[in-house]
């Protein structure tokens, strides 16, 4: 059962043995027992997302996280007079722009550098210049770098201007406390294999009921029709329209129980922060600088600059993999970076072992100043 290495990547990530073991049973997709499981998951997700349960609902969607982003973008913006503002400072924000363009949705892009926050003022200025914008989309933790955008303030501004708000909280939901009601988020998107610590196979949306109710007939795709998926789950008590990833759903339920057992999002956030702080402090001692200013850094994933020109990422990667750690290449456009995630079934002791392995690598290769 044991994995040959720990995934220090932002999803898929290392899951617990118990999450993986509940996938040993086959489920019937229309049987009551399974539908009940889906309904329980939907309720639990709303409870995790807000204190204002009654105004919100949850809908699950097959596919990786991007499929769910696409289902939201393609289903909530009206075909007539819809215009989307995407504020982006990384690859995932830019992916939303691409999705909107492919779906022929008019889009305004607010582009910031990858190491800069999107500020509420930036957003307000664009909204003032473009009063015909109807929807605002932004990424919470931009996994490209690990930067954490001030989504609460951004959505507040967007609401003041009467816009519908869409937040890609894929890599933060479950690891960082969010209240969709307090933060004025109409559609929050995340997926099974990130901070809830399930396995890949579906994404989910926490939606304000009155907003999703008004989305009938907007979809530009049959299989990614968010309204229809939601409506079917509502009408038929947990039924998905098409084959659902049953094993993944069961594993996700187990992951939710384990999140509760850990003490909820607050405690999980605490663990991720401990992992991240320990990692950055130790890396600094070895000459590795984080790419993002620590004030804007999320506890989810950290980008590190290559320590010098001689740094050989492939051999660093391979060395760590043999030691039992899989890290992530960088995704920043201007500078050379690599990334280390802290999420998943990962504890400070694991980070300590990782740090020891990095020290060994440095000593062997002599490429890093100790
Ligand atoms: C992981 C992630 C996604 C979705 O990626 P998939 O590979 O489609 O699962 C979207 N946005 C952010 C911010 C992410 O971290």
């Amino acid at each position: 059962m044991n994995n040959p290495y720990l995934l220090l990547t932002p999803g898929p990530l290392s899951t617990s043995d118990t999450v993986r073991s509940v996938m040993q049973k086959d489920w019937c997709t229309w049987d009551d027992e399974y539908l009940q499981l889906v309904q329980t998951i939907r309720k639990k997700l709303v409870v995790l997302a807000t204190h204002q349960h009654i105004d919100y609902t949850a809908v699950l969607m097959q596919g990786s996280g991007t499929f769910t982003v696409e289902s939201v973008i393609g289903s909530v913006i009206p075909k007539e007079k819809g215009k989307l503002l995407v504020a982006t400072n990384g690859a995932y924000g830019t992916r939303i722009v691409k999705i909107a363009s492919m779906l022929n949705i008019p889009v305004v892009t607010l582009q910031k550098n990858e190491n800069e926050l999107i500020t509420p003022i930036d957003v307000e200025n664009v909204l003032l210049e473009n009063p015909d914008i109807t929807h605002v989309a932004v990424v919470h933790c931009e996994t490209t770098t690990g930067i954490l955008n001030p989504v609460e303030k951004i959505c507040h501004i967007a609401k003041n201007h009467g816009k519908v708000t869409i937040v890609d909280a894929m890599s933060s939901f479950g690891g960082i406390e969010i209240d969709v009601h307090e933060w004025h988020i109409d559609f929050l998107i995340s997926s099974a294999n990130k901070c809830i610590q399930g396995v890949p196979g579906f994404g989910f949306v926490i939606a304000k009921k009155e907003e999703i109710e008004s989305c009938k007939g907007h979809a530009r795709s049959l299989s990614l029709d968010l309204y229809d998926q939601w409506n079917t789950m509502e009408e038929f008590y947990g039924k998905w329209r098409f084959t659902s990833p049953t094993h993944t759903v069961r594993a996700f339920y187990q992951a939710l129980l384990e999140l509760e057992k850990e003490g909820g999002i607050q405690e999980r956030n605490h663990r991720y922060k401990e992992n991240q702080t320990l990692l950055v402090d130790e890396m600094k001692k070895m000459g590795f600088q984080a790419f993002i200013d620590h004030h804007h850094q999320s506890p989810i994933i950290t980008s590190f600059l290559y320590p010098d020109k001689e740094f050989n990422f492939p051999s660093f990667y391979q060395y760590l993999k043999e030691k039992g750690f899989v890290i992530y290449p960088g995704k920043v456009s201007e500078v050379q970076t690599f990334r280390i995630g802290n999420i998943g079934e990962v504890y400070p002791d694991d980070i300590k072992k990782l740090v020891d392995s990095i020290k060994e690598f440095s000593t062997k290769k002599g490429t890093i100043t100790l």
Side-chain angles (χ1 to χ4, degrees):
M1 266 305 273
N2 276 343
N3 285 320
Y5 43 68
L6 201 64
L7 295 175
L8 297 175
T9 55
L13 36 63
S14 288
T15 53
S16 67
D17 291 343
T18 34
V19 162
R20 273 177 276 114
S21 71
V22 295
M23 290 189 288
Q24 294 302 319
K25 182 184 158 185
D26 299 318
W27 294 77
C28 175
T29 52
W30 48 261
D31 182 77
D32 271 349
E33 211 185 333
Y34 181 69
L35 297 185
Q36 201 53 55
L37 187 73
V38 174
Q39 290 298 75
T40 308
I41 287 172
R42 294 178 63 212
K43 282 196 201 98
K44 282 185 184 292
L45 285 174
V46 173
V47 171
L48 284 177
T50 181
H51 291 97
Q52 193 71 27
H53 312 159
I54 38 169
D55 293 339
Y56 292 83
T57 183
V59 49
L60 316 181
M61 183 60 83
Q62 293 95 331
S64 87
T66 305
F67 290 60
T68 304
V69 176
E70 189 156 342
S71 84
V72 172
I73 301 300
S75 308
V76 312
I77 298 155
K79 286 179 193 146
E80 309 260 314
K81 290 193 179 159
K83 192 170 193 174
L84 176 68
L85 166 62
V86 183
T88 172
N89 52 355
Y92 292 100
T94 303
R95 189 177 292 175
I96 302 179
V97 176
K98 200 166 175 187
I99 289 170
S101 310
M102 288 199 73
L103 297 174
N104 289 321
I105 292 167
V107 59
V108 176
T109 309
L110 164 57
Q111 180 84 53
K112 299 282 289 201
N113 290 330
E114 286 158 324
N115 58 352
E116 277 180 349
L117 286 184
I118 295 159
T119 69
I121 314 253
D122 295 331
V123 173
E124 177 147 57
N125 287 339
V126 180
L127 292 179
L128 289 170
E129 281 163 28
N130 303 269
D132 56 341
I133 286 169
T134 52
H135 293 65
V136 175
V138 64
V139 177
H140 187 208
C141 169
E142 185 41 271
T143 321
T144 310
T145 55
I147 200 169
L148 197 62
N149 285 311
V151 157
E152 180 178 7
K153 291 187 182 123
I154 292 169
C155 290
H156 197 84
I157 291 283
K159 267 296 154 221
N160 282 347
H161 289 264
K163 314 303 177 190
V164 176
T165 56
I166 300 166
V167 173
D168 173 348
M170 201 73 68
S171 63
S172 57
F173 185 73
I176 297 176
E177 284 188 288
I178 298 173
D179 189 310
V180 288
H181 174 72
E182 301 290 327
W183 292 23
H184 305 281
I185 299 173
D186 295 317
F187 296 93
L188 176 141
I189 308 160
S190 188
S191 78
N193 60 284
K194 302 244 172 161
C195 296
I196 308 280
Q197 298 185 184
V199 301
F202 70 93
F204 54 87
V205 180
I206 317 291
K208 191 162 188 187
K209 278 183 191 160
E210 75 179 78
E211 289 300 334
I212 198 167
E213 278 163 1
S214 71
C215 293
K216 190 175 180 179
H218 293 172
R220 284 126 179 115
S221 151
L222 173 77
S223 50
L224 296 178
D225 185 337
L226 187 75
Y227 174 86
D228 204 37
Q229 181 89 337
W230 171 72
N231 197 42
T232 305
M233 286 191 173
E234 285 290 298
E235 269 191 34
F236 300 97
Y237 308 102
K239 187 179 177 301
W240 303 52
R241 291 171 306 158
F242 312 123
T243 301
S244 68
T246 47
H247 301 78
T248 299
V249 170
R250 181 62 186 85
F252 188 73
Y253 176 69
Q254 178 63 25
L256 284 170
L257 298 183
E258 292 179 15
L259 172 61
E260 285 167 14
K261 201 167 157 218
E262 184 170 358
I265 295 176
Q266 201 179 353
E267 284 309 309
R268 181 155 295 178
N269 177 258
H270 186 73
R271 170 165 63 89
Y272 289 171
K273 273 186 176 154
E274 248 185 275
N275 288 345
Q276 203 269 340
T277 313
L278 177 65
L279 176 69
V280 172
D281 289 351
E282 292 298 323
M283 290 295 277
K284 211 170 171 179
K285 288 183 202 160
M286 293 186 279
F288 289 96
Q289 291 300 331
F291 175 64
I292 297 295
D293 184 298
H294 77 275
H295 293 108
H296 307 147
Q297 172 67 50
S298 71
I300 308 296
I301 184 166
T302 313
S303 292
F304 292 98
L305 296 163
Y306 282 14
D308 51 45
K309 284 209 180 71
E310 281 72 52
F311 181 70
N312 182 334
F313 179 73
S315 83
F316 183 61
Y317 176 90
Q318 200 51 42
Y319 187 84
L320 293 181
K321 185 171 164 192
E322 279 158 22
K323 295 286 168 184
F325 304 98
V326 166
I327 63 165
Y328 230 40
K331 212 175 180 161
V332 175
S333 25
E334 304 289 325
V335 285
Q336 293 220 288
T337 56
F338 62 89
R339 292 176 291 172
I340 299 181
N342 316 296
I343 61 177
E345 199 62 9
V346 176
Y347 295 84
D349 270 350
D350 300 309
I351 301 292
K352 281 183 197 144
K353 286 181 196 142
L354 168 75
V355 166
D356 288 343
S357 298
I358 295 176
K359 274 184 194 153
E360 279 167 31
F361 175 83
S362 316
T363 324
K364 277 203 175 130
K365 306 281 166 181
T367 51
I368 302 154
T369 35
L370 277 166

